[in-house]
Amino acid sequence: MDPKDKKALSEIDICDLFITPAIKDAGWDQMKQIRREVTLTPGPVIVRGNMSARNKKKKKFADYVLLWEPGVPVAIVEAKDNTHTVSHGMQQALGYADILQVPSALSSNGDAFASHNKVPGPGEDIETQLPLNAFPPPEGLWKRYKSYRNIEDQNEGLVLQPYHIDSSGKEPRYYQTEAINRTMEAIARGDKRLLLVMATGTGKTYTTFQIIWRLWKAKAVKRVLFLVDRNILADQTRVNDFKPFGSVMTKIKNRKIDPAYEIHLGLYQALTGPNEEDKIYKTVSRDFFDLIIIDECHRGSAADDSAWREILEYFSGAIQLGLTATPKETKYVSNITYFGEPVYTYSLKQGIEDGFLAPYKVVRIYIDKDIDGWTPPPGMKDDLGQEIEGRTYTQQDMDRILILNQRTKLVAKRVVDLLKATDPFAKTIVFCEDIDHAERMRAAIVNVAGQLAIDNPKYVMRITGDSVEGKAELDNFIDPESTYPVIATTSELMSTGVDAKTCKLIVLDKSINSMTAFKQIIGRGTRIDEEHNKYFFTVMDFKKATELFRDPDFDGDPPVIYEPKDGDPPEPPDPPPGEDEDVIEGDDESEGTKKIYVSGVPAKILAERIEYIGPDGSLITESYKDFTRKQIKTEFTSLDNFLRRWSSAKKKQTLIELLEEHGIILDNLAEEIGTDYGDFDLICHIAFDQPPLTRRERANNVKKRNYFTKYGDQARAVLDALLDKYADEGIRTIENPKILKLRPFSDMGTPIEIINTVFGGKSNYENAIQELENELYYQEQSA
């Protein structure tokens, strides 16, 4: 092919004509080993105000992912058209190779391949250039991958055991694949204690299912115990992710371990207890289970005196895999000391950056009695007639010791006001200090909600460990298809393990000093549910709990504090404040703490502050307008640059879609600036401080200039009607040919008749539309 002709080809043409054939000729199976146009991450969701949109510019999209076997990626190939150099795509390929943790990254423009090898042999270069007909064969890149991942030849069979293929076509996301493969590789090497750290909402249970499935199918394990601490976790697992195990799976009940089953789901409370006869795990031999999965292992599995630890010690010969979003590291307990360093970590920050997890905005609310404190007048009595101790009560005392009825009403009103302003039926969890506080908050919200609570008494419910009625509604709360309950007041029960995908609002009226507890609570909102329009969540904070977002430990590696020594005492039964995150609900009332109830003391909100998660994961204060201005200027460097590109674009929709890739939805911006302004004026006004004109003003200006005179009567009527449509709906409407099917155009003839008869053909019609658009923006373009 003539080099000039080759440079005229698109990137897709280069792939089809040169790159794909070269890879196939090297021995790669097109159906099983070559995957084209693979979306690794969808791009993060951007939130400002009550608006959200994906930043598709940050989507990770690989041209080629090469697999040794399904689920085992070994190389990345990035393609460019022939106007670029051979290695132009190498940096991009290396970024994707880093995501997938593969050692081979290649780039091509159709002339040759640039190759990067992360494990070069003695005397080999890291980067080389290969002729088009010398692409590495599958065996070569598999051998390189094994070296990079430390896979011994004798372990290949276990590492390559096939995944479960879902009938719906569901596949693991890239990080789930990496978590599964890293775990399989570690087990193949003989590791018996493993830890997987995956943020809430990233599919720990599905990931675990694939690990168990592959080990079970490979006959590397026969009997498996999936150990949880709540009934709902076992039930959700059985009917959802673990469903393919079918008849070989059971939930341990009636205090009996049935050897007829192979996959056992069990609550640790059902396997053990304070008395010897409660310890039913001892009714089977120590080698009964080959694999034990400890879900939510931060809840105490590594504490020397915990019930979990008894079970793990008894089955010490089994492979033990701990799962958590938050490794627990205190001076009393350490997951890492017990399980070892995580075989894989996927953090909340990474999940949000990739776009798999929902970002958050934080509304901090400062109440006068919390900030300034409250000191009772001398001799003042509480609601029960008891004299109140004469001291200053601070935020830490609120609802633990001092109960100000007016403060509770104020919090309830602010929560309901936010819901009414956004979505009165947005699933909401209100975290309270204890069960008494949760009940008082429920009643206060009922009173503020008014008709909403009258229409359905389950609009707000207390879901706590002691409430049979509340716990019975937990399934309905987490069911996206169930409207009620809308608001759940709680203290501990819903802080972990509750898969509430559509939760849009988390209210913190609870002092939280533990990072583990804070991460777990935030995790209740991190799931994205596109089907139900859940892309972000709001954290409403009344107790300064969100200050923990600023702590570097929030999304960093937990420091190992606990170092076991011979003769160490067991974990104390009453840990100091801030380390009691694993209190079991139902026992969270403060024993012996005298509470002071006071009704007549007013409370008011002093200030509010709204912050958003920024590009680097930190919280920033930024309006949607400020965000839009910055994003527009990354695409259009100046007003002149924007005007030139706007004028030359045959379809303005292409520029609007370009901005949407940055996460800018102009319709959302119009809600803030004014719905009468068109896209052009919104962009010029926000990014370049130009005074805006409404669509109607622009349309009228065109009519005043009377530029229609060169057209015949019928064409003028069409153009006049298009101007009216622009004034009402905007530029995107008049660029859509389907508009000619609507009135008043349909009264003038069919679209074909209008285009061919009135304007003399499609080309003339398109030129007329272009000229109309030029007239709409005449002043700017002639400036």
Side-chain angles (χ1 to χ4, degrees):
M1 175 179 282
D2 188 299
K4 292 181 180 178
D5 294 336
K6 196 171 186 179
K7 292 197 182 301
L9 295 175
S10 69
E11 183 180 301
I12 292 176
D13 292 333
I14 293 292
C15 289
D16 291 343
L17 296 174
F18 300 99
I19 298 176
T20 299
I23 296 173
K24 286 170 59 181
D25 289 346
W28 293 87
D29 187 317
Q30 187 167 12
M31 300 304 293
K32 296 179 180 178
Q33 294 182 304
I34 303 174
R35 291 192 61 198
R36 289 280 306 273
E37 299 177 350
V38 180
T39 298
L40 303 176
T41 71
V45 174
I46 306 298
V47 184
R48 295 296 181 272
N50 294 318
M51 312 297 184
S52 66
R54 279 203 186 277
N55 187 341
K56 295 177 184 176
K57 281 287 184 182
K58 293 190 175 181
K59 178 171 77 170
K60 303 291 195 307
F61 183 84
D63 291 323
Y64 293 82
V65 175
L66 302 185
L67 311 173
W68 174 247
E69 295 281 358
V72 186
V74 295
I76 289 287
V77 182
E78 189 60 29
K80 296 296 175 187
D81 66 40
N82 201 249
T83 63
H84 295 88
T85 62
V86 172
S87 63
H88 188 84
M90 180 55 76
Q91 290 188 149
Q92 204 172 342
L94 285 170
Y96 299 153
D98 191 52
I99 288 174
L100 295 184
Q101 288 292 288
V102 297
S104 301
L106 298 102
S107 168
S108 179
N109 66 351
D111 289 339
F113 289 99
S115 172
H116 185 105
N117 177 6
K118 293 186 180 182
V119 283
E124 289 183 349
D125 288 334
I126 298 171
E127 291 206 0
T128 56
Q129 188 158 308
L130 307 172
L132 206 60
N133 62 359
F135 191 85
E139 293 77 12
L141 294 190
W142 169 238
K143 183 178 179 181
R144 185 185 296 177
Y145 178 86
K146 285 198 299 179
S147 172
Y148 182 65
R149 304 279 290 225
N150 194 25
I151 299 171
E152 301 291 339
D153 291 347
Q154 65 269 22
N155 295 331
E156 273 193 36
L158 184 57
V159 169
L160 294 176
Q161 180 63 34
Y163 283 70
H164 176 267
I165 305 299
D166 191 281
S167 59
S168 67
K170 178 181 179 181
E171 293 182 343
R173 295 168 174 171
Y174 86 83
Y175 63 85
Q176 293 170 336
T177 297
E178 185 64 11
I180 295 162
N181 289 344
R182 287 290 183 186
T183 304
M184 296 294 290
E185 291 164 16
I187 291 172
R189 287 194 297 269
D191 293 351
K192 286 291 194 77
R193 301 288 178 269
L194 305 107
L195 181 64
L196 264 184
V197 179
M198 296 175 68
T200 302
T202 56
K204 288 195 296 292
T205 311
Y206 173 70
T207 301
T208 305
F209 160 72
Q210 290 285 5
I211 292 168
I212 298 172
W213 178 269
R214 295 175 73 190
L215 289 169
W216 180 65
K217 281 291 188 179
K219 295 183 168 50
V221 302
K222 182 179 181 183
R223 290 197 186 94
V224 178
L225 172 62
F226 187 75
L227 197 56
V228 300
D229 71 338
R230 291 189 179 165
N231 247 318
I232 190 170
L233 298 177
D235 294 338
Q236 285 176 349
T237 299
R238 183 175 58 176
V239 300
N240 294 325
D241 289 320
F242 279 33
K243 190 176 181 180
F245 284 121
S247 60
V248 305
M249 173 176 56
T250 187
K251 178 182 173 184
I252 297 172
K253 51 192 173 186
N254 301 324
R255 305 200 69 79
K256 184 178 186 302
I257 299 175
D258 189 340
Y261 295 93
E262 297 181 29
I263 311 297
H264 299 255
L265 309 179
L267 277 73
Y268 79 87
Q269 300 96 320
L271 275 81
T272 189
N275 303 313
E276 193 62 28
E277 61 268 24
D278 298 326
K279 303 182 189 303
I280 67 161
Y281 63 87
K282 291 186 177 181
T283 63
V284 296
S285 65
R286 289 178 176 272
D287 61 357
F288 184 82
F289 291 114
D290 307 301
L291 171 66
I292 300 178
I293 313 288
I294 307 94
D295 193 31
E296 306 288 357
C297 68
H298 66 278
R299 292 186 63 81
S301 60
D304 285 345
D305 63 344
S306 73
W308 299 64
R309 185 63 173 262
E310 287 182 13
I311 300 168
L312 299 185
E313 289 290 349
Y314 185 79
F315 299 110
S316 60
I319 300 165
Q320 296 177 4
L321 172 62
L323 306 175
T324 183
T326 53
K328 185 176 180 182
E329 299 300 329
T330 74
K331 34 186 179 178
Y332 306 107
V333 175
S334 171
N335 288 136
I336 291 174
T337 302
Y338 182 81
F339 290 106
E341 291 292 331
V343 292
Y344 185 70
T345 297
Y346 189 69
S347 67
L348 172 65
K349 179 180 178 182
Q350 188 63 53
I352 292 174
E353 186 177 308
D354 285 345
F356 293 119
L357 293 181
Y360 45 84
K361 73 173 182 178
V362 176
V363 182
R364 287 200 180 97
I365 298 173
Y366 303 94
I367 296 175
D368 59 348
K369 297 300 182 287
D370 295 5
I371 303 304
D372 302 332
W374 178 71
T375 306
M380 183 177 182
K381 296 181 178 180
D382 65 14
D383 292 355
L384 301 176
Q386 303 292 317
E387 187 168 323
I388 304 171
E389 180 187 351
R391 68 175 180 88
T392 298
Y393 294 86
T394 65
Q395 189 172 59
Q396 291 293 317
D397 298 316
M398 298 299 167
D399 293 297
R400 285 177 178 255
I401 296 172
L402 179 66
I403 287 83
L404 297 180
N405 189 40
Q406 295 301 317
R407 184 191 178 282
T408 307
K409 290 181 178 179
L410 182 67
V411 171
K413 183 177 186 304
R414 186 65 190 87
V415 171
V416 174
D417 283 350
L418 185 142
L419 288 174
K420 287 182 175 178
T422 53
D423 176 6
F425 295 96
K427 297 280 186 175
T428 300
I429 306 176
V430 185
F431 286 96
C432 303
E433 295 289 0
D434 53 32
I435 289 173
D436 169 63
H437 185 199
E439 173 55 27
R440 289 184 293 102
M441 186 61 69
R442 182 202 64 80
I445 291 174
V446 166
N447 288 330
V448 177
Q451 195 63 44
L452 288 166
I454 292 171
D455 291 343
N456 192 307
K458 292 181 180 178
Y459 180 76
V460 53
M461 294 200 72
R462 171 169 59 91
I463 301 180
T464 51
D466 71 323
S467 172
V468 175
E469 297 80 8
K471 285 195 292 185
E473 290 298 325
L474 186 53
D475 281 351
N476 286 328
F477 180 81
I478 65 179
D479 182 359
E481 304 303 327
S482 179
T483 302
Y484 301 98
V486 174
I487 305 172
T489 66
T490 190
S491 64
E492 296 286 342
L493 182 64
M494 301 179 70
S495 65
T496 182
V498 176
D499 187 7
K501 288 196 294 187
T502 53
C503 178
K504 292 184 178 180
L505 176 61
I506 293 173
V507 180
L508 303 177
D509 198 21
K510 176 186 180 77
S511 299
I512 304 171
N513 302 308
S514 157
M515 184 61 77
T516 300
F518 181 65
K519 284 184 179 181
Q520 287 291 332
I521 286 172
I522 294 305
R524 298 315 100 211
T526 54
R527 286 168 174 81
I528 286 177
D529 191 333
E530 297 186 6
E531 183 183 348
H532 297 92
N533 197 34
K534 189 314 190 53
Y535 291 93
F536 72 97
F537 67 105
T538 301
V539 181
M540 182 178 273
D541 180 17
F542 292 90
K543 290 281 182 79
K544 294 186 179 178
T546 53
E547 291 293 335
L548 288 168
F549 276 128
R550 302 192 188 284
D551 191 318
D553 287 344
F554 172 68
D555 212 35
D557 295 327
V560 179
I561 300 170
Y562 171 64
E563 295 181 4
K565 300 180 182 65
D566 291 340
D568 268 4
E571 182 175 359
D574 297 306
E579 294 179 1
D580 59 347
E581 64 267 27
D582 294 324
V583 175
I584 300 300
E585 180 124 28
D587 296 324
D588 68 346
E589 297 300 326
S590 304
E591 290 293 332
T593 301
K594 179 185 175 184
K595 293 187 176 181
I596 305 163
Y597 294 83
V598 184
S599 295
V601 176
K604 65 179 180 180
I605 293 173
L606 293 177
E608 291 192 16
R609 179 183 177 89
I610 300 177
E611 296 180 312
Y612 306 91
I613 184 168
D616 61 351
S618 62
L619 285 173
I620 58 172
T621 302
E622 183 180 57
S623 69
Y624 192 67
K625 288 192 290 185
D626 291 339
F627 165 75
T628 300
R629 180 182 296 112
K630 283 196 289 190
Q631 295 301 312
I632 291 174
K633 287 189 172 183
T634 64
E635 192 64 51
F636 306 107
T637 55
S638 66
L639 176 61
D640 285 345
N641 175 259
F642 168 69
L643 292 175
R644 280 197 303 272
R645 289 174 65 180
W646 181 270
S647 176
S648 61
K650 289 186 176 180
K651 291 273 189 182
K652 310 307 185 234
Q653 179 67 22
T654 57
L655 295 185
I656 294 163
E657 289 173 355
L658 190 64
L659 292 179
E660 286 178 356
E661 290 184 1
H662 285 274
I664 298 169
I665 306 298
L666 291 172
D667 289 345
N668 291 351
L669 193 64
E671 292 292 326
E672 288 199 18
I673 308 302
T675 56
D676 292 335
Y677 297 112
D679 299 326
F680 176 88
D681 286 278
L682 288 171
I683 294 168
C684 289
H685 176 60
I686 291 301
F688 306 110
D689 299 316
Q690 299 299 298
L693 294 177
T694 66
R695 294 189 303 272
R696 179 68 60 188
E697 287 171 332
R698 287 195 175 276
N700 287 339
N701 286 345
V702 173
K703 291 180 179 181
K704 288 175 187 173
R705 288 198 293 275
N706 202 24
Y707 96 99
F708 294 134
T709 51
K710 68 178 188 176
Y711 292 100
D713 291 344
Q714 288 179 299
R716 284 203 299 271
V718 172
L719 293 171
D720 197 56
L722 285 170
L723 274 177
D724 289 337
K725 283 289 185 183
Y726 168 80
D728 291 337
E729 300 175 34
I731 195 74
R732 284 171 273 185
T733 298
I734 68 172
E735 286 189 341
N736 189 342
K738 292 181 181 178
I739 194 176
L740 297 180
K741 295 180 179 180
L742 306 177
R743 297 188 68 182
F745 306 102
S746 58
D747 297 336
M748 304 177 190
T750 67
I752 296 289
E753 289 171 343
I754 292 172
I755 291 172
N756 290 337
T757 305
V758 176
F759 286 92
K762 183 179 178 183
S763 176
N764 288 342
Y765 175 75
E766 289 177 347
N767 288 338
I769 295 294
Q770 185 74 42
E771 190 175 27
L772 177 62
E773 291 179 355
N774 291 341
E775 288 296 318
L776 281 167
Y777 311 111
Y778 169 77
Q779 289 175 308
E780 286 78 4
Q781 293 174 0
S782 60

